[in-house]
Amino acid sequence: MVRLRTFSGVLALCLAAPVAVAGPELTQPHLAVQARTADEAARVAQVTEPATDFTRPEPFENNPGGAATVPLLANADAFSQPSANMSFERELDFRLGNGLFRKLWVSSPSSTLASDGLGPLYNARSCQRCHLKDGRGHPPDGPGDGAVSMLLKISAPAAPDDPMTEIERYLAATGAAADRRRPDPVYGGQIQDLAIAGHAAEAQLAVTYSDVPVELSEGETVTLIKPTYSVESLAYGPLARSAALSARIAPQMIGLGLVEAIPAADILALADPDDADGDGISGRAQIVWSADRNRPMLGRFGHKAGMPTIRDQSASAFSSDIGISSPLAPAPSGDCTPAQSACLNAPNGANDVRGTEIDAESFDLVAFYSRNLAVPARRDSGDAQVLRGKQAFHDSGCVACHRPKFVTDRLPDQPEQSFQLIWPYSDFLLHDMGDGLADDLPEGLASGREWRTAPLWGIGLTSQVNGHTRFLHDGRARSLLEAILWHGGEAAPARQKVIDMPKTTRAALIRFLESL
């Protein structure tokens, strides 16, 4: 059930939320926001109502990114285009950001002073290495295939005497119960499987799969593959007792600025943590600390909504994935811990000229690039099978979490994202997805069974952009149908409807998803 009806309803639900999320400290990640007028709020409520007519496309449905939508390219660059409504002057910044996104970092000291500082322990040498063509990563595909677009997050329960973090203090004051976790005392927040010369990589990811057959209607059977993860060749001793590992593939990059521009109130209005309306869906807001704004904010990005802004996400990735310091994460040794003295004492690329290893201007350009990777136009929205699949998507209850539409804030300083009707197909809330997808690694308010609803725009272009069809947080699903069949928990009733529906309807549902 879609819960956003009026702007006054948004405010009422925000104020009623069990976590104190209505204060100004949890609002937009933008410095300049123009409030909606009453007339605009009424128009927004009307245009974001769920579809009821499945005989034809909805108005503007072919432009999922609003005016920023770009025509679809028939090649692997489909996710790498700037917002269509971007001025020529701002497109220059986008191109500069793209160059920095693709830049290969090298170890220090180096004659290439603008590019040194890699690691010493790291997962990739550039942003592009994980987000190939700005698209989706994949798990290792057999012997010899690296895991460069996949990583293992790691954490362990905090000790009783560990001081509370800023976000833990905030959440405790609101009465929210967060599972207190800390990075592994030796290996940090994620396993670094690469290292510069003279240093040992932390470990190597290993994965094995077991078959899980699922019987569908009309005699169809689908065999899922269930992954089991482990680490091999631990170079710095054993993992902490009770440490939990969670495999994550790099998500696609399109539409991030539009997601950031959705009013926080509109996302919070969809939260129903106690399932007060009895529909079986109890989405919860993730609340995290923003280094960018030095305050608690609504989490929007990442598989468990662990990051609130694009700048926060960019700084975390530079630090943890590449070992590059930035103005928001200035430690030059990245994810290295006090137990890794050689890493901490290694030469780094920070200097008096540029400050951190990526300077403030370059960091801003990377964030601008990430904010403006455009969503391609829809395909075949008026096709009869696609429309039938869209109705099946709604009738099965998928829209309870994969909310089709939002309208972004008015942003005078971000014209590309300002006041756009967008179609991300996500509510950006945390949902219990059941035992099958549980990673047993809590993150902030997210339990080991909860995941942020993934946006679906562009999902049908994964094969074109990245040459594979691997989905979900760890890429275990080899098709869109497999991704659906892994859904459990709150999504179990919708999954069962897909299992039970006629085979032709199921095919139409997949055809609809492929058109997004």
Side-chain angles (χ1 to χ4, degrees), residues 50-134:
T52 55
D53 179 3
F54 301 101
T55 63
R56 58 185 177 180
E58 296 174 74
F60 313 112
E61 190 172 2
N62 286 335
N63 295 319
T69 305
V70 291
L72 173 63
L73 298 180
N75 57 36
D77 292 324
F79 287 171
S80 301
Q81 307 308 303
S83 301
N85 54 351
M86 180 179 290
S87 68
F88 176 80
E89 293 78 13
R90 287 167 71 87
E91 187 173 340
L92 177 59
D93 287 343
F94 178 88
R95 301 300 178 187
L96 290 171
N98 182 24
L100 292 162
F101 193 84
R102 297 163 61 91
K103 177 180 184 177
L104 291 174
W105 293 85
V106 299
S107 59
S108 298
S110 170
S111 59
T112 56
L113 295 180
S115 300
D116 69 338
L118 177 68
L121 307 178
Y122 62 97
N123 293 110
R125 289 183 58 197
S126 73
C127 307
Q128 182 78 199
R129 286 289 178 93
C130 290
H131 302 278
L132 184 62
K133 292 292 184 179
D134 306 296

Side-chain angles (χ1 to χ4, degrees), residues 23 26 34-35 66 73 104 161 187 189 199 209 214 242 263 300 318 377 385 444 496:
L26 293 180
Q34 292 180 353
L73 298 180
L104 291 174
D161 58 348
Y187 291 94
H199 295 259
Y209 294 97
V214 180
S242 302
R300 301 167 186 252
F318 268 118
Q385 187 184 32
Q496 192 60 47

Side-chain angles (χ1 to χ4, degrees), residues 46-331:
Q46 181 179 17
V47 76
T48 54
E49 283 286 325
T52 55
D53 179 3
F54 301 101
T55 63
R56 58 185 177 180
E58 296 174 74
F60 313 112
E61 190 172 2
N62 286 335
N63 295 319
T69 305
V70 291
L72 173 63
L73 298 180
N75 57 36
D77 292 324
F79 287 171
S80 301
Q81 307 308 303
S83 301
N85 54 351
M86 180 179 290
S87 68
F88 176 80
E89 293 78 13
R90 287 167 71 87
E91 187 173 340
L92 177 59
D93 287 343
F94 178 88
R95 301 300 178 187
L96 290 171
N98 182 24
L100 292 162
F101 193 84
R102 297 163 61 91
K103 177 180 184 177
L104 291 174
W105 293 85
V106 299
S107 59
S108 298
S110 170
S111 59
T112 56
L113 295 180
S115 300
D116 69 338
L118 177 68
L121 307 178
Y122 62 97
N123 293 110
R125 289 183 58 197
S126 73
C127 307
Q128 182 78 199
R129 286 289 178 93
C130 290
H131 302 278
L132 184 62
K133 292 292 184 179
D134 306 296
R136 188 183 305 270
H138 64 88
D141 188 17
D145 185 29
V148 71
S149 61
M150 185 182 201
L151 58 83
L152 278 174
K153 290 182 69 70
I154 180 172
S155 72
D161 58 348
D162 277 351
M164 296 182 75
T165 64
E166 292 167 301
I167 191 62
E168 287 171 347
R169 286 194 296 270
Y170 173 82
L171 293 174
T174 69
D179 196 320
R180 298 181 64 216
R181 308 285 295 189
R182 295 291 181 270
D184 184 275
V186 174
Y187 291 94
Q190 64 193 52
I191 296 295
Q192 312 283 346
D193 59 351
L194 297 170
I196 64 173
H199 295 259
E202 289 182 330
Q204 299 300 314
L205 177 152
V207 56
T208 58
Y209 294 97
S210 56
D211 290 347
V212 181
V214 180
E215 294 184 3
L216 310 180
S217 65
E218 300 184 30
E220 186 178 2
T221 299
V222 173
T223 300
L224 308 180
I225 53 172
K226 179 180 180 179
T228 299
Y229 299 102
S230 60
V231 288
E232 299 176 343
S233 306
L234 287 163
Y236 298 88
L239 301 176
R241 185 178 301 176
S242 302
L245 297 169
S246 180
R248 312 281 176 88
I249 62 169
Q252 64 188 31
M253 299 283 292
I254 58 171
L256 297 185
L258 296 168
V259 172
E260 191 178 53
I262 298 171
D266 290 3
I267 296 175
L268 295 170
L270 301 174
D272 186 15
D274 299 319
D275 192 20
D277 61 8
D279 69 350
I281 305 299
S282 48
R284 300 199 302 143
Q286 174 74 288
I287 308 301
V288 296
W289 190 264
S290 170
D292 185 23
R293 297 303 160 89
N294 194 35
R295 66 188 188 205
M297 295 186 68
L298 173 69
R300 301 167 186 252
F301 303 106
H303 293 294
K304 295 207 177 192
M307 290 292 161
T309 73
I310 290 171
R311 286 170 56 81
D312 281 303
Q313 177 64 49
S314 299
S316 175
F318 268 118
S319 177
S320 298
D321 299 346
I322 313 178
I324 295 296
S325 60
S326 70
L328 295 186

